[in-house]
């Protein structure tokens, strides 16, 4: 039976997605990675994962839409300049883009989005937030290394619904960031 996942995310602009796609092809060739890259249209930075269910509860979706609509935020830069393998219990480890320097505006936005989620009674990740963007999943675990920066200005955030294993997302909501 299919499982539905719900999460807020930032999506890179077309130029940043193209840069990430080029980078992952170079990394695949340089390190003999066998796995296919994440489709550039699916690249994202997860802000808050709200859960996974056999069927999406209507109350969760409504609460998530209301929480996001209550948030006013300013646009900010997302900048990744490193890659690393994240250790996973699964057979394949995520290879992710990371920011080697702090991104205080992104951290603040993550925190600010958590407050209305909690008011709606939804699970908001409170602890450590490590912004990253998954490029692929592979059996090999690469050590952290610097890469040429991939950056974009986050001008909106989205609420995405994913049917796990189907490789596609439905955008349930989209909210602009000011500036």
């Amino acid at each position: 039976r299919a499982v539905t996942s719900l999460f807020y995310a930032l999506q890179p602009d077309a130029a940043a997605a193209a840069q990430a796609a080029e980078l992952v092809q170079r990394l695949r060739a340089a390190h003999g990675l066998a796995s296919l890259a994440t489709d550039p249209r699916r690249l994202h930075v997860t802000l808050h994962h709200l859960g996974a269910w056999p069927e999406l509860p209507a109350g969760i979706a409504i609460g998530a839409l209301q929480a996001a609509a209550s948030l006013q935020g300013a646009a900010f830069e997302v900048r990744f300049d490193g890659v690393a393998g994240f250790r996973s219990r699964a057979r394949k480890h995520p290879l992710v883009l990371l920011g080697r320097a702090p991104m205080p505006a992104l951290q603040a936005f993550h925190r600010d989005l958590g407050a209305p989620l909690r008011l709606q009674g939804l699970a908001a990740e409170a602890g450590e937030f490590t912004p990253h963007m998954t490029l692929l999943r592979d059996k090999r675990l690469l050590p952290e290394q610097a890469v040429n920066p991939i950056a974009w200005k986050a001008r909106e955030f989205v609420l995405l619904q994913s049917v796990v294993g189907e490789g596609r997302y439905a955008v349930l909501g989209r909210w602009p960031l000011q500036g």
Side-chain angles (χ1 to χ4, degrees), residues 123-179:
E125 295 145 3
E128 189 69 25
F129 172 57
T130 303
H132 64 278
M133 191 163 65
T134 301
L135 299 173
L136 59 72
R137 295 175 187 277
D138 196 86
K139 291 179 182 175
R140 297 200 53 208
L141 185 64
L142 294 186
E144 185 171 338
Q145 57 190 278
V147 296
N148 289 332
I150 295 175
W152 74 93
K153 191 163 190 176
R155 299 183 187 281
E156 67 177 9
F157 68 105
V158 294
L159 179 63
L160 297 176
Q161 179 181 0
S162 168
V163 178
V164 177
E166 287 192 7
R168 60 183 169 81
Y169 299 141
V171 178
L172 300 186
R174 187 181 300 273
W175 298 272
L177 298 171
Q178 307 306 311

Side-chain angles (χ1 to χ4, degrees), residues 58-173:
I60 300 274
I62 291 167
L65 292 165
Q66 290 173 342
S70 73
L71 185 64
Q72 297 293 315
F76 54 88
E77 185 180 64
V78 177
R79 184 177 190 275
F80 293 120
D81 57 359
V83 293
F86 275 5
R87 187 167 298 283
S88 169
R89 285 176 284 177
R91 280 188 9 218
K92 294 184 176 182
H93 306 285
L95 176 65
V96 302
L97 274 173
L98 295 168
R100 293 160 36 99
M103 290 183 268
L106 174 52
Q107 294 285 351
F109 186 75
H110 173 263
R111 213 173 27 254
D112 292 348
L113 181 55
L117 284 173
R118 284 186 284 281
L119 288 174
Q120 289 290 335
L122 299 174
E125 295 145 3
E128 189 69 25
F129 172 57
T130 303
H132 64 278
M133 191 163 65
T134 301
L135 299 173
L136 59 72
R137 295 175 187 277
D138 196 86
K139 291 179 182 175
R140 297 200 53 208
L141 185 64
L142 294 186
E144 185 171 338
Q145 57 190 278
V147 296
N148 289 332
I150 295 175
W152 74 93
K153 191 163 190 176
R155 299 183 187 281
E156 67 177 9
F157 68 105
V158 294
L159 179 63
L160 297 176
Q161 179 181 0
S162 168
V163 178
V164 177
E166 287 192 7
R168 60 183 169 81
Y169 299 141
V171 178
L172 300 186

